[in-house]
Amino acid sequence: MIEDWLAQNKLSAEDATLEQKLKNQYVDLASERVGGETLSCSDDFFAEMENLLKVGRGIFIEDKFTERGKWMDGWESRRSYGRNNGRDSDWCIIRLGISGVIRAFDIDTNYFRGNAPEKVSVEACVSEVQPNEDTVWQTILTATDVKAHSQNLFVLDSEKKLNNTAFTHVRLTMFPDGGIARFRVYGEAEVNWNDFVDGELIDLASIKNGAKALLVSDMFFSDKNNLIMPGRGANMGDGWETKRRRDPGPDWSIVKLAATGTVNKVIIDTCHFKGNFPDTFMLEGCISDSDDFTAGAAPVTWTEIIPSTKLYAHREHLFTKEIVVAKDQPFTHVRLSIFPDGGISRMRVFGKRQG
């Protein structure tokens, strides 16, 4: 029986490819790491709604209980059967950490084996205030079957993209009740540039401003997107770290900037990387209409922005005078190279948006 559940929990080759594609092309707009927040729910008697947006997949601790029952790493409501209120579903309202166009969902019922919902649906809205009884919701995923103890991936078809509307909130509903471990809302950030004042230096490499980590030489120990996440790294796993090279290197990461812009200030943070920080780094930039930097793609010309420069352990490094390009030279992408390898917690590229 346990073997059957484990087999069910493993993604098929097709779904594994799809999940990787979603992670590479889009951002989890709802993640707590980018400011996503659960605002309210109909019921979370057994397990708190806040768990939905945590990093990783839900875990299971066999002998862990609370005064309300079995401890579960997810959002779990009480059983609906016998309720006197006539409610046939439970819901949770989430404020997206990044407003954006929604492309897909991962509704993960990991370890919810006998207590997963039968179906789920998702609605979305655009609201400058916290949703209330007057909020107009648009259904973007109709009530759909989900599997227990599984990642349930849903890609929106062209008709459900709703003319590329940038949503601010979503409402996840499960029928009739049960538990969901994690909820991922994959999409593309939509930035309101009116929120910035004229002449302000903007972090063009921030995931919250629409930057994307496109391609890296290696991410053996941690994910490429960590490099452009908000805040400082929480620990050594919350950064971009490569395996040890046995050649001069370098390892590199290509980031698409949030907008075409200048590079006027750069921060390279090696927070928590004490025995495995790179010896030196170099930053280059280019102008490109394409995001394809794989082997065989059309070549681009990289311009040196900061030449090879020494780094130090567990330190936030600020660079302004080291920038060797003109203050008004625009770029669409940057390439961070580290010699020979190692870990960088965060990269900030401050500049002025052009156009």
Side-chain angles (χ1 to χ4, degrees):
M1 183 66 177
I2 294 297
E3 289 75 12
D4 292 341
W5 281 113
L6 291 174
Q8 179 181 338
N9 185 243
K10 187 176 181 180
L11 284 174
S12 66
E14 181 179 356
D15 280 347
T17 300
L18 173 59
E19 182 192 30
Q20 194 59 47
K21 178 181 178 181
L22 295 178
K23 288 182 175 180
N24 285 341
Q25 291 188 354
Y26 305 120
V27 175
D28 180 4
L29 303 173
S31 171
E32 67 173 7
R33 296 187 69 195
V34 299
E37 180 184 6
T38 51
L39 299 178
S40 59
C41 68
S42 58
D43 185 273
D44 59 353
F45 183 86
F46 287 114
E48 296 81 6
M49 62 182 179
E50 288 84 1
N51 294 329
L52 280 172
L53 310 183
K54 289 183 176 179
V55 299
R57 301 190 67 196
I59 64 172
F60 185 80
I61 302 176
E62 185 172 356
D63 58 353
K64 185 173 182 178
F65 289 83
T66 74
E67 63 181 11
R68 294 194 171 191
K70 181 71 185 75
W71 178 89
M72 294 296 289
D73 186 14
W75 166 48
E76 184 181 3
S77 66
R78 73 190 82 194
R79 298 190 186 214
S80 62
Y81 308 116
R83 286 183 186 170
N84 296 320
N85 57 18
R87 192 165 64 233
D88 65 352
S89 61
D90 280 305
W91 51 264
C92 181
I93 294 176
I94 296 158
R95 183 183 66 83
L96 299 178
I98 304 174
S99 300
V101 180
I102 297 172
R103 301 302 190 193
F105 302 107
D106 180 356
I107 301 176
D108 190 353
T109 56
N110 202 31
Y111 291 110
F112 287 92
R113 297 184 172 102
N115 46 356
E118 291 182 345
K119 295 177 182 290
V120 296
S121 69
V122 183
E123 301 158 283
C125 73
V126 179
S127 179
E128 294 183 359
V129 299
Q130 189 155 314
N132 53 46
E133 62 274 7
D134 297 322
T135 299
V136 177
W137 293 94
Q138 300 181 62
T139 300
I140 56 177
L141 178 69
T142 57
T144 305
D145 292 342
V146 290
K147 295 178 181 179
H149 190 47
S150 301
Q151 285 179 261
N152 298 272
L153 303 176
F154 302 101
V155 177
L156 303 185
D157 59 38
S158 57
E159 294 180 357
K160 298 290 179 61
K161 291 176 183 175
L162 301 173
N163 298 319
N164 291 328
T165 302
F167 293 107
T168 60
H169 300 75
V170 294
R171 181 165 63 187
L172 171 65
T173 301
M174 55 184 178
F175 304 88
D177 53 32
I180 296 171
R182 297 290 188 269
F183 180 46
R184 309 294 180 214
V185 181
Y186 289 109
E188 297 167 300
E190 186 74 21
V191 181
N192 183 358
W193 296 111
N194 292 325
D195 291 339
F196 300 91
V197 300
D198 291 342
E200 179 180 355
L201 288 182
I202 302 169
D203 182 2
L204 298 174
S206 169
I207 199 169
K208 292 202 67 169
N209 291 337
K212 292 182 180 180
L214 297 178
L215 190 67
V216 293
S217 58
D218 179 271
M219 53 178 178
F220 185 87
F221 289 109
S222 48
D223 190 83
K224 65 183 186 301
N225 288 307
N226 291 340
L227 192 65
I228 59 175
M229 283 289 175
R232 296 195 76 189
N235 50 50
M236 202 174 73
D238 185 15
W240 167 53
E241 183 183 3
T242 69
K243 60 178 172 286
R244 300 186 189 212
R245 300 184 70 100
R246 301 309 181 196
D247 60 45
D251 279 314
W252 47 265
S253 174
I254 296 175
V255 172
K256 180 180 182 179
L257 298 178
T260 301
T262 62
V263 177
N264 303 110
K265 181 170 74 171
V266 173
I267 293 175
I268 303 295
D269 191 357
T270 57
C271 184
H272 301 295
F273 291 96
K274 300 175 180 178
N276 51 353
F277 62 97
D279 179 53
T280 60
F281 87 100
M282 178 173 65
L283 187 69
E284 300 164 288
C286 74
I287 289 283
S288 176
D289 293 329
S290 172
D291 293 338
D292 185 3
F293 294 89
T294 57
V300 299
T301 300
W302 291 99
T303 300
E304 190 175 75
I305 298 174
I306 299 178
S308 182
T309 303
K310 179 69 178 174
L311 290 174
Y312 298 90
H314 191 52
R315 182 183 300 184
E316 192 174 66
H317 306 74
L318 171 64
F319 302 101
T320 54
K321 296 178 181 178
E322 294 82 358
I323 295 172
V324 297
V325 294
K327 292 183 178 181
D328 59 352
Q329 183 167 346
F331 297 98
T332 57
H333 301 75
V334 294
R335 181 171 66 183
L336 171 67
S337 296
I338 55 175
F339 299 85
D341 53 30
I344 300 284
S345 178
R346 296 290 189 270
M347 175 180 70
R348 310 294 182 208
V349 178
F350 292 94
K352 296 180 181 179
R353 185 174 71 96
Q354 294 192 355

